[in-house]
Amino acid sequence: MTTQDSINVPSAGESNSAIATANANIALIKYWGKADEDLIIPNMSSLSLTLEGLETTTRVSFDTASHSEQTDLLYIDGKQQQGNALRRVSALLDTIRSMAGIHSHAVVTSHNTVPYEAGLASSSSAFAALATAASYAAGLKLTRRELSRLARRGSGSASRSIFGGMALWHAGHDDDSSFAEPVPCPMDLAIVVVLISGSSKKISSREAMQRSVTTSALYNAWVESNAKDLHDALDAIKREDIAALGPVVQTNSLGMHATMMTAKPPVLYWLPGSVAAMQAVEDLHSHGMNAWATMDAGPNVKVLTTAAEAAQVEQALRDKLPGFEVHTHVAGPGARLLPAEHDI
Ligand code: 2P0
């Protein structure tokens, strides 16, 4: 798969309707802070692994004459959405409408097929699926690079979920130059998720990253170290050296959290269980296991390991962290269109 490939088109259905699935990704080298809030141009490039089993499937149907709505309608997991969720979806649909030269509103129906409750409901899979389905329903036939740029405008991390496996989002400096592309990964990696809390966060990642950029004295230093982290991570991947990759991933995430903790007012996503999970990972590591932790804008802990060791790491974490759900995810596919008759 290259960035210039078009997405596979399944059997044609209604021309104004399309269904797509995308998988969530977890960043190994993080995106945290924007140079352009409107276009979502980040201050740094980032690297991620798209995961199997954490999927959003979305149907987008632009109005036909017989079914004319005054606004876009959004249903997520059976519940109609208003407010910020609808505004963000409509904003991306507006971009697509203007690209396609259409004016009709859309009905968007989305389902998340995560194997456990919330906690990982990621905007990465949601906006990658929306960009893919909506652009196709609007009659646009975009390349994966174009889809990545479009998904980015919905949510930055979604630019990476257009691709399966490892993806690198080049920060770029404008709409054309800020896109993700696949990175060959000769290692079979896995992420073991320790679910500390499934509750939705009080401070959105969008607000938290903006606060870090504007008020943390550590922010610029972290951005500088991010460039070296990315270089070192890509080098370790090429050399199939997880023992070199893991520490970079862990330090990069802790540095991002340091910018949040030193923001004014501070953002602390960590819960007592997060600390317990981080210490459990340290313990596994001290016993010679390949296990390194990364955390995002929430209390859940994601543990990087190899696919070969994942079952052992998962079991060890279950033993050390009774009461918390632990699940393993290997690399998953990029965004794809589904046949129009698919039931969601
Ligand atoms: C990432 N995160 O690289 C980082 C690490 C969370 C921590 O991207 O404002 O929902 O929509 O571009 O993509 C979460 O932020 O933010 C995120 P917006 P997004 O995965």
Side-chain angles (χ1 to χ4, degrees):
M1 187 198 297
T2 76
T3 54
Q4 300 299 347
D5 284 345
S6 291
I7 213 148
N8 278 341
V9 179
S11 65
E14 285 176 76
S15 60
N16 63 334
S17 182
I19 307 176
T21 296
N23 291 45
N25 71 74
I26 296 296
L28 303 181
I29 303 298
K30 307 293 189 188
Y31 144 58
W32 195 247
K34 300 176 180 70
D36 184 319
E37 298 274 340
D38 182 40
L39 289 172
I40 309 195
I41 310 297
N43 284 329
M44 71 290 294
S45 298
S46 56
L47 181 72
S48 64
L49 193 62
T50 298
L51 300 180
E52 191 175 76
L54 298 172
E55 295 178 353
T56 302
T57 298
T58 298
R59 178 196 294 273
V60 178
S61 304
F62 285 100
D63 288 345
T64 59
S66 61
H67 176 73
S68 182
E69 302 291 349
Q70 297 305 302
T71 62
D72 297 314
L73 298 178
L74 173 63
Y75 301 87
I76 299 177
D77 294 326
K79 205 170 151 211
Q80 185 167 6
Q81 307 287 317
Q82 307 283 356
N84 197 41
L86 178 61
R87 269 194 299 280
R88 281 184 67 174
V89 165
S90 284
L92 189 63
L93 292 173
D94 285 344
T95 302
I96 292 166
R97 281 188 275 259
S98 116
M99 288 165 74
I102 62 170
H103 302 282
S104 43
H105 287 108
V107 179
V108 177
T109 311
S110 200
H111 280 288
N112 293 292
T113 57
V114 294
Y116 40 92
E117 289 290 304
L120 285 172
S122 173
S123 58
S124 62
S125 54
F127 281 97
L130 178 68
T132 304
S135 60
Y136 191 69
L140 299 168
K141 306 284 185 313
L142 303 181
T143 64
R144 281 194 186 263
R145 179 175 296 185
E146 290 165 332
L147 273 177
S148 174
R149 288 172 42 215
L150 184 60
R152 185 201 77 231
R153 297 183 66 170
S155 195
S157 53
S159 65
R160 302 182 307 234
S161 276
I162 296 298
F163 299 98
M166 191 77 72
L168 170 61
W169 175 14
H170 297 281
H173 53 84
D174 60 10
D175 181 43
D176 281 354
S177 58
S178 188
F179 55 83
E181 64 181 3
V183 171
C185 181
M187 286 183 279
D188 281 332
L189 298 174
I191 299 280
V192 182
V193 176
V194 184
L195 192 73
I196 304 299
S197 168
S199 304
S200 57
K201 50 193 168 229
K202 291 194 188 78
I203 304 173
S204 70
S205 51
R206 194 161 279 197
E207 186 189 334
M209 70 173 79
Q210 195 183 30
R211 208 184 285 178
S212 301
V213 174
T214 51
T215 67
S216 169
L218 304 190
Y219 184 75
N220 288 340
W222 179 73
V223 173
E224 265 176 46
S225 66
N226 215 57
K228 181 170 186 331
D229 288 350
L230 179 60
H231 173 274
D232 291 350
L234 288 170
D235 188 52
I237 288 164
K238 212 181 287 172
R239 290 187 286 104
E240 299 186 50
D241 186 352
I242 190 162
L245 176 64
V248 179
V249 167
Q250 186 158 301
T251 304
N252 183 266
S253 165
L254 289 170
M256 177 185 73
H257 282 274
T259 72
M260 293 183 224
M261 292 176 188
T262 50
K264 299 180 190 82
V267 179
L268 183 66
Y269 285 120
W270 296 48
L271 292 174
S274 314
V275 178
M278 295 297 282
Q279 288 174 333
V281 171
E282 283 295 327
D283 200 31
L284 298 193
H285 191 237
S286 69
H287 285 88
M289 288 167 97
N290 284 312
W292 290 271
T294 185
M295 288 173 65
D296 295 293
N300 301 316
V301 175
K302 295 115 186 187
V303 183
L304 174 69
T305 186
T306 62
E309 290 161 282
Q312 198 190 352
V313 168
E314 180 179 316
Q315 191 54 52
L317 289 170
R318 275 186 212 281
D319 293 345
K320 286 178 186 297
L321 300 162
F324 293 113
E325 283 190 48
V326 184
H327 297 273
T328 296
H329 300 274
V330 294
R336 59 263 181 215
L337 286 161
L338 301 184
E341 60 275 14
H342 186 85
D343 192 20
I344 69 167

